[in-house]
C-alpha cells in the first residue's frame, strides 16, 4: 500500500529509526547494485548520502574507501557506528549528522552515492545537490525508488525494509535523473530501471523496483 502524503522531514525519519522498521533496516545486506557497479572501482574518498544504519558505508570502508557517511537521524548513525566498529573499519568512516538539503561538504568526493534517501526536498533537486559534490573525475552513483507509473503493478518499491511504497514525490525514473546531468560534463555509464526480489522482514518475498544511475564527472 502506498504511504500517505507527508513530509520526509527529520521528525519522520527520527520516528522511522525509533520504530519497528529500524531493526529490519539495520539488518539488511549491502545494496546489490552498489556491489555490482562500484565493487571494481579503485577506492578514494566517498560520501554516502542518507547512509541509514551504515550498511553501504561500512561495505565501502572495508574495501578501502575513506567514507563520509551522512544522515539526518542520530539513531541511524548510532547503529551505523556500531556496525563499523564491529566490522573493524571505524577509523575509515566519518559520521555526519546533517540535513543534506542544507548541509554543504567541505570537500568534493571521488564517489558520491545514495541508496533510497528521500528527503523533504524534491527528489530530483536532491540528486542535483549531491551531484555537485562529486570531484572532477569522480563518480555519482544513485540507487533510488523507481517511480510508480514506471511499473504500476502494485508491488513494493525500494529498499525492501518493509512493505510500504513511497509516494511519487520520493521516486524517479532513470531518464528524469540523467536528463539533469549535463552531457558536456557527465559521462553516464548506467541508467537502469530494474526489479529484484528479496525476503522482507516478515519473511514474505518482496518485489523491489529500483532506478540506478552511474555517471562520471569529466576532469
Ligand atoms: C530509506 S532510508 C535508506 C537508508 C540506507 N541508505 C539504506 O539503503 O538502507 C533513507 C535514509 O535517508 C535519511 N535521510 C532522509 N532525509 C535526509 C536528509 N534531509 N538529510 C540526511 N539524511 C536524510 C534517513 O534518515 C534514512 O536513514
Amino acid at each position: 500500500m502506498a504511504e500517505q502524503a507527508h513530509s520526509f522531514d527529520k521528525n519522520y525519519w527520527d520516528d522511522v529509526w525509533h520504530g519497528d522498521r529500524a531493526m529490519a533496516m539495520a539488518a539488511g545486506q549491502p545494496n546489490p547494485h552498489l556491489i555490482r557497479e562500484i565493487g571494481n572501482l579503485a577506492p578514494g574518498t566517498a560520501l554516502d548520502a542518507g547512509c541509514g544504519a551504515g550498511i553501504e558505508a561500512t561495505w565501502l570502508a572495508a574495501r578501502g574507501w575513506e567514507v563520509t557517511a551522512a544522515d539526518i537521524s542520530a539513531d541511524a548513525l548510532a547503529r551505523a557506528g556500531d556496525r563499523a566498529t564491529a566490522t573493524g573499519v571505524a577509523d575509515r568512516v566519518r559520521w555526519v549528522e546533517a540535513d543534506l538539503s542544507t548541509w554543504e561538504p567541505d570537500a568534493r568526493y571521488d564517489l558520491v552515492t545514495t541508496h533510497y534517501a528521500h528527503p523533504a526536498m524534491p527528489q530530483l533537486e536532491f540528486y542535483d545537490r549531491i551531484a555537485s559534490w562529486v570531484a572532477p573525475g569522480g563518480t555519482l552513483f544513485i540507487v533510488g525508488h523507481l517511480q510508480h507509473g514506471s511499473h504500476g503493478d502494485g508491488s513494493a518499491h525500494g529498499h525492501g525494509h518493509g512493505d510500504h511504497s513511497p509516494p511519487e514525490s520520493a521516486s524517479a525514473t532513470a531518464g528524469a535523473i540523467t536528463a539533469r546531468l549535463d552531457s558536456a560534463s557527465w559521462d553516464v555509464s548506467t541508467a537502469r530501471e530494474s526489479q529484484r526480489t528479496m525476503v522482507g522482514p516478515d519473511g514474505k518475498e518482496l518485489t523491489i523496483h529500483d532506478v540506478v544511475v552511474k555517471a562520471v564527472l569529466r576532469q
Side-chain angles (χ1 to χ4, degrees):
M1 179 188 291
E3 288 183 359
Q4 296 303 304
H6 57 74
S7 176
F8 289 109
D9 58 8
K10 181 168 169 51
N11 286 339
Y12 172 85
W13 289 109
D14 281 342
D15 284 350
V16 167
W17 283 109
H18 275 120
D20 296 343
R21 281 165 57 198
M23 186 80 87
M25 288 173 72
Q29 296 299 310
N31 191 280
H33 301 292
L34 179 73
I35 294 171
R36 173 173 157 184
E37 301 265 359
I38 303 299
N40 290 328
L41 202 61
T45 59
L47 173 74
D48 186 0
C51 65
I55 298 170
E56 286 73 29
T58 301
W59 182 87
L60 286 166
R63 272 143 198 85
W65 292 86
E66 290 293 331
V67 183
T68 300
D71 204 281
I72 202 166
S73 161
D75 278 8
L77 291 170
R79 289 174 185 270
D82 289 348
R83 171 179 281 262
T85 300
T87 313
V89 298
D91 59 336
R92 282 208 291 281
V93 190
R94 180 171 75 106
W95 305 106
V96 177
E97 183 183 339
D99 180 347
L100 294 176
S101 63
T102 54
W103 179 76
E104 287 292 340
D106 53 12
R108 295 294 177 262
Y109 299 91
D110 300 319
L111 171 67
V112 174
T113 187
T114 189
H115 315 89
Y116 313 113
H118 41 95
M121 70 186 295
Q123 192 66 38
L124 293 173
E125 289 177 26
F126 174 66
Y127 293 148
D128 293 345
R129 246 181 106 60
I130 68 168
S132 74
W133 301 339
V134 177
T139 300
L140 172 68
F141 187 62
I142 292 170
V143 180
H145 299 297
L146 181 61
Q147 206 159 66
H148 274 274
S150 303
H151 52 91
D153 60 4
S155 50
H157 286 239
H159 31 82
H161 303 311
D163 61 358
H164 68 294
S165 291
E168 295 262 324
S169 64
S171 311
T173 63
I177 297 171
T178 56
R180 299 169 81 101
L181 299 173
D182 177 7
S183 61
S185 303
W186 293 94
D187 286 318
V188 176
S189 58
T190 301
R192 190 170 64 242
E193 297 173 353
S194 66
Q195 71 177 49
R196 60 193 172 100
T197 55
M198 63 178 292
V199 177
D202 57 2
K204 291 189 185 146
E205 197 166 83
L206 293 173
T207 302
I208 311 290
H209 296 266
D210 292 328
V211 57
V212 182
V213 171
K214 181 180 175 188
V216 172
L217 182 62
R218 295 205 187 100
Q219 302 268 8

